[in-house]
């Protein structure tokens, strides 16, 4: 059966240029369905945003979501 894992794509501004990096979430953390994964991804997004704003880290975009894995 399929499982779902979180990912994040973060784009930050470096010397006037936007640089994007794909981060896969911890390899041991997977979810049995898309709904559970998306809920966790939403929580992770809010945690990341809080940290970025708290430490005034300049970012362009942050996308957090889920991928189906076999």
């Amino acid at each position: 059966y399929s499982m779902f894992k979180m990912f994040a794509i973060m784009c930050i501004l470096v010397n006037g240029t936007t640089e994007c990096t794909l981060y896969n979430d911890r390899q041991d953390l997977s979810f049995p369905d898309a709904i559970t994964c998306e809920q966790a991804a939403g929580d992770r997004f809010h945690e990341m945003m809080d940290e970025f704003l708290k430490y005034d880290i300049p970012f362009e975009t942050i996308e957090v979501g889920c991928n189906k894995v076999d």
Side-chain angles (χ1 to χ4, degrees), residues 6 18 32 46 48 60:
M6 277 191 280
T18 301
H46 292 293
M48 290 170 54
E60 289 289 307

Side-chain angles (χ1 to χ4, degrees), residues 45-59:
F45 175 80
H46 292 293
E47 290 170 12
M48 290 170 54
M49 288 303 299
D50 288 347
E51 292 296 310
F52 274 68
L53 296 172
K54 181 178 177 181
Y55 295 106
D56 199 28
I57 299 169
F59 64 91

Side-chain angles (χ1 to χ4, degrees), residues 28-54:
D28 61 336
L29 185 61
S30 59
F31 301 89
D33 57 65
I35 293 171
T36 306
C37 185
E38 291 292 345
Q39 289 172 337
D43 293 343
R44 177 68 51 87
F45 175 80
H46 292 293
E47 290 170 12
M48 290 170 54
M49 288 303 299
D50 288 347
E51 292 296 310
F52 274 68
L53 296 172
K54 181 178 177 181

Side-chain angles (χ1 to χ4, degrees), residues 5-6 13-14 18 21 24 26 30 43 45 47 53 58-61 66 68-69:
K5 291 190 178 224
M6 277 191 280
L13 202 53
V14 179
T18 301
T21 306
N24 287 305
R26 296 186 305 250
S30 59
D43 293 343
F45 175 80
E47 290 170 12
L53 296 172
F59 64 91
E60 289 289 307
T61 60
C66 296
K68 186 176 182 180
V69 294

